[in-house]
Amino acid sequence: MNPIRVLLVDDQSLFREGLRAVLSAQPAFAIVGEAANGLAAVQLAKEMVPHVILMDLRMPQLGGVEATRRIRAAQSECQVIVLTTFDDDEEVFAALHAGAAGYLLKDVSPEKLGDAIRAAARGESFLQPSIAAKVVAEFNRLVQARPPIPHLALCEPLSERERQVLQQLAEGKSNKEIGVALKLAEGTVKNHLSNIFGKLGVLDRTQAALLARELGLL
């Protein structure tokens, strides 16, 4: 199996060196480039076509949120994991809204970081528990603050099985876990998710879960 191509984006060179050392020690990953700011990250993403980008948030010239937005708009197949020291609600939701597939704090263990990169490369989301708690709280706030949008707002309604898969996704389960819960092959789960994303008009799991809450589908 080919290694996962990873781009490192952080304005602290010492931190990038540490990341490179940790990830290069694992044959599953190949570091294809490094950037010290968001502008460089956008350009390198075009040139190197990484599978996963580890993105800091607060950087000179262009921050991580806007860099994530630009990269995801141009290269939807490229997954971004925010790796930062900040967990402010505003930054968390700005990053996820921009299309980040994961959000981790820099004190994450090398094992969890590796798990997150693999999950992102498979098209799955990975949130640190403290961040996931914020997302769940925001789900609840949205549900309470807004009346559900009628299901007819969708161009094409979800099937019953797709709704079941979406419910499992919203609970933070991986494709494998969804397959076990619903007694489906992992490939079938991926097909259902592709259909769900298309019907909802979203790019990833986090956006699908957020929109599904707003539409009253969960």
Side-chain angles (χ1 to χ4, degrees):
M1 181 180 294
N2 294 328
I4 298 171
R5 297 168 57 83
V6 181
L7 174 64
L8 308 179
V9 185
D10 196 290
D11 61 340
Q12 297 181 356
S13 59
L14 186 61
F15 184 73
R16 293 199 311 272
E17 289 176 12
L19 278 179
R20 176 181 283 275
V22 168
L23 296 177
S24 295
Q26 304 181 51
F29 308 122
I31 308 302
V32 297
E34 297 182 19
N37 60 70
L39 282 178
V42 173
Q43 184 60 39
L44 273 177
K46 293 178 182 178
E47 296 174 2
M48 306 308 299
V49 194
H51 299 121
V52 178
I53 299 176
L54 298 182
M55 180 77 73
D56 191 18
L57 285 184
R58 301 183 185 180
M59 297 179 292
Q61 298 189 49
L62 188 69
V65 170
E66 182 58 28
T68 297
R69 184 177 292 110
R70 295 185 187 183
I71 291 169
R72 292 286 293 156
Q75 300 165 260
S76 60
E77 73 284 357
C78 181
Q79 303 298 323
V80 177
I81 297 174
V82 170
L83 186 59
T84 181
T85 57
F86 307 103
D87 64 349
D88 297 338
D89 287 7
E90 182 177 347
E91 291 184 301
V92 169
F93 296 114
L96 295 179
H97 184 69
Y103 197 112
L104 301 173
L105 301 180
K106 286 183 177 179
D107 61 359
V108 67
S109 69
E111 180 182 3
K112 289 296 183 183
L113 178 60
D115 290 343
I117 295 172
R118 293 184 185 90
R122 295 193 299 266
E124 301 176 15
S125 298
F126 195 105
L127 300 176
Q128 198 155 313
S130 61
I131 302 301
K134 291 178 181 289
V135 173
V136 171
E138 179 66 4
F139 282 163
N140 292 333
R141 188 193 68 78
L142 286 171
V143 170
Q144 294 171 5
R146 293 169 114 177
I149 301 171
H151 294 183
L152 293 177
L154 290 178
C155 294
E156 184 179 354
L158 300 180
S159 69
E160 180 59 31
R161 179 60 84 183
E162 288 168 348
R163 290 170 66 88
Q164 292 172 352
V165 171
L166 183 59
Q167 179 65 53
Q168 297 288 317
L169 176 153
E171 294 174 4
K173 294 182 179 178
S174 67
N175 288 359
K176 183 176 181 180
E177 291 170 334
I178 293 173
V180 171
L182 299 180
K183 298 181 180 179
L184 297 172
E186 192 168 348
T188 302
V189 173
K190 290 182 179 179
N191 290 337
H192 282 310
L193 288 175
S194 179
N195 292 336
I196 291 168
F197 293 170
K199 290 180 179 181
L200 293 178
V202 299
L203 297 175
D204 57 37
R205 302 165 76 93
T206 301
Q207 292 180 0
L210 284 168
L211 182 57
R213 289 284 186 182
E214 293 192 48
L215 290 173
L217 297 175
L218 300 175

